[in-house]
Amino acid sequence: MSWKDVEVRNLKVGSYIVVDDEPCKIVEYTTSKPGKHGEAKARIVAIGVFDGQKRSLVYPVKHKVKSPIIDKRKAQVLVVMGDEVQLMDTETYETFELPIPENLRDRIEPGKEVEYWEAMGKRVIMKA
């Protein structure tokens, strides 16, 4: 299990939520007042960490949702192979391959350190 349950009322802009089994970062969060017989609702707009898709949802503020546990780690670049890079984790010495994000293509070189995020069985390079 790589998530925890949180109430919608405890979320805020910049926190993370699982939408359609995809970890997402919240970019907009608004609440409405409760109605005569209803309860307050929260409108959330989130962008996928791994796919960049925008997702919108509405929940009652007492509703529980999943918040992903994101592991931020460092790795050393071993080999650059076209659009992919082979990395070695600096703590566990595990080697693996990841695609290079468009915005980091010119900054990734063999021997440099990068920061990658791991959540719900997926990995992505975030900083170089």
Side-chain angles (χ1 to χ4, degrees):
M1 184 167 101
S2 59
W3 67 79
K4 59 185 176 190
D5 287 332
V6 295
E7 275 194 4
V8 173
R9 75 173 77 234
N10 296 331
L11 296 173
K12 59 186 178 210
V13 173
S15 59
Y16 296 90
I17 185 173
V18 175
V19 183
D20 301 329
D21 290 327
E22 188 71 32
C24 300
K25 183 175 185 176
I26 296 173
V27 292
E28 276 183 48
Y29 180 89
T30 56
T31 55
S32 62
K33 291 183 177 181
K36 186 173 180 182
H37 299 291
E39 56 183 300
K41 303 264 192 302
R43 283 161 183 70
I44 301 169
V45 177
I47 295 180
V49 173
F50 299 113
D51 61 4
Q53 267 192 321
K54 188 175 185 181
R55 295 172 170 90
S56 300
L57 37 120
V58 177
Y59 283 124
V61 293
K62 292 181 181 176
H63 189 75
K64 289 202 181 230
V65 294
K66 295 176 185 174
S67 178
I69 297 171
I70 297 178
D71 193 11
K72 299 176 183 179
R73 307 185 72 119
K74 294 213 180 285
Q76 182 179 3
V77 177
L78 298 177
V79 182
V80 178
M81 307 166 291
D83 292 346
E84 287 197 340
V85 64
Q86 186 177 26
L87 301 171
M88 178 180 67
D89 190 288
T90 56
E91 290 179 26
T92 64
Y93 303 110
E94 173 191 5
T95 59
F96 52 91
E97 294 176 7
L98 289 177
I100 302 173
E102 284 292 325
N103 59 340
L104 301 176
R105 285 202 192 281
D106 55 339
R107 289 194 251 153
I108 293 183
E109 301 170 2
K112 283 196 167 184
E113 266 196 9
V114 296
E115 181 180 294
Y116 73 95
W117 290 9
E118 185 173 0
M120 299 180 70
K122 298 179 184 178
R123 296 176 176 158
V124 66
I125 299 172
M126 295 304 282
K127 295 180 186 173

